[in-house]
Amino acid sequence: MMLVTVNGDPLEVAPESTIESLVELLGCGRRGVAVAINSEVVARSSWATTWLAAGDQVEVLRAAQGGC
Amino acid sequence: MDDPFEIGGTTLSSRLILGTGGAPSMDILESAIRASGTDMVTVALRRVVPGVAGSVLDVCERAGVRVLPNTAGCRTAREAVLTAQAAREAFETDWVKVEVVADDRTLLPDTVELVDAVEALADLGFIVLAYTNDDPVIAMRLAALGCAAVMPLGSPIGSGMGIRNPYNLAMIREQLTVPVILDAGIGTASDAALAMELGCDAVLAASAVTRARHPEIMAEAIGLAVRSGRLAHLGGRIPRRLYAEASTTSVGLPEL
């Protein structure tokens, strides 16, 4: 297993994990979700071909109520 | 009356934009959106909650309104640009309402960081709506950088203090050619009407609706006030004068 940080918490994922598999693991659906790795936003079209590396800081974001 | 409102080439049917923050439940939010008559609401980006698939997006979709992502919570230009890029991926829109605030107590815009963020986002092809303070000079700078709309505050976010500097707002409206949207500080319907009477092209309200005792009723009230204020602006108010001016002619006044 490989250790990454997802939304501030440590998470063990399988080696060869992609963003796609991480989003699936989190069970939050794909719709309205965005992912950044080490402060770089990853295009949705690249999720399946972007592999996680040990120590990656991953942010998985989605719509929340907001506005002045 | 035909009175279209355009931002960045897109026509909106309502001059009220609703913020979705602060609503006690998704159901109440949905009824407030519908009652307000808005066709665009703001949403923020936050970390996902594992295992939870639904979000405020479902409410927007059911209510048939456009989504305007914001960068709420960002303190630097860098954070705002990253958030906008994430929002572009999440919501498949180039629109972004840029907020860069200085501190938690005032939530006032950090205009130095804001200008940097707007410059970068305009270069990246975003349709930028900038939340700013009521400074006409900064508003001009933001418009010059290519903002599709400039959104000056009336008073601090969530304060409900209304419009603290109507003269600056009037100056901003006079100097800019892009839409001016009064953002932040609306407390009740009359604040929204005043903003529109001053010539603002639209109003954004959130807390005034979502934290009202009856959000759905307040949403309708503010929607009507925006419409009413717009008509009053177009109708043209009479000048203020210190003394009375009779509306009835003195010609033919009988001597009794």
Side-chain angles (χ1 to χ4, degrees), chain A residues 15-32:
Chain A
E16 304 288 302
S17 287
T18 61
I19 293 184
E20 183 120 321
S21 63
L22 174 68
V23 169
E24 196 164 317
L25 181 73
L26 292 175
C28 54
R30 295 173 51 94
R31 191 168 150 268

Side-chain angles (χ1 to χ4, degrees), chain B residues 144-209:
Chain B
L145 287 172
C147 282
V150 174
M151 307 181 72
L153 53 75
S155 50
I157 291 172
S159 70
M161 290 288 282
I163 297 171
R164 296 206 296 199
N165 197 337
Y167 302 103
N168 273 27
L169 267 190
M171 257 190 229
I172 291 172
R173 178 53 289 169
E174 197 181 299
Q175 292 176 4
L176 267 56
T177 51
V178 294
V180 173
I181 303 170
L182 191 279
D183 187 357
I186 297 288
T188 186
S190 52
D191 296 331
L194 174 60
M196 297 305 291
E197 287 172 9
L198 287 167
C200 288
D201 299 274
V203 163
L204 188 149
S207 307
V209 169

Side-chain angles (χ1 to χ4, degrees), chain B residues 86-107:
Chain B
R88 174 138 81 177
E89 286 304 316
F91 310 131
E92 291 164 22
T93 174
D94 290 332
W95 288 44
V96 64
K97 179 193 161 196
V98 183
E99 302 179 29
V100 190
V101 299
D103 63 78
D104 284 339
R105 185 148 185 256
T106 67
L107 295 178

Side-chain angles (χ1 to χ4, degrees), chain A residues 26 31 44 59 62 64 66 68, chain B residues 42 46-47 51-52 89 206:
Chain A
L26 292 175
R31 191 168 150 268
R44 181 173 289 269
E59 291 285 336
R62 76 129 60 89
C68 292
Chain B
T42 63
R46 288 294 179 266
R47 287 170 167 173
V52 178
E89 286 304 316

Side-chain angles (χ1 to χ4, degrees), chain B residues 77-141:
Chain B
R78 182 184 152 276
E79 288 171 4
V81 170
L82 278 170
T83 304
Q85 288 174 321
R88 174 138 81 177
E89 286 304 316
F91 310 131
E92 291 164 22
T93 174
D94 290 332
W95 288 44
V96 64
K97 179 193 161 196
V98 183
E99 302 179 29
V100 190
V101 299
D103 63 78
D104 284 339
R105 185 148 185 256
T106 67
L107 295 178
L108 288 172
D110 183 329
T111 49
V112 176
E113 294 292 327
L114 173 68
V115 165
D116 284 351
V118 166
E119 197 164 18
L121 290 168
D123 281 350
L124 290 167
F126 282 89
I127 308 278
V128 183
L129 292 78
Y131 167 62
T132 182
N133 61 24
D134 56 15
D135 176 350
V137 179
I138 292 290
M140 290 285 282
R141 289 288 186 107

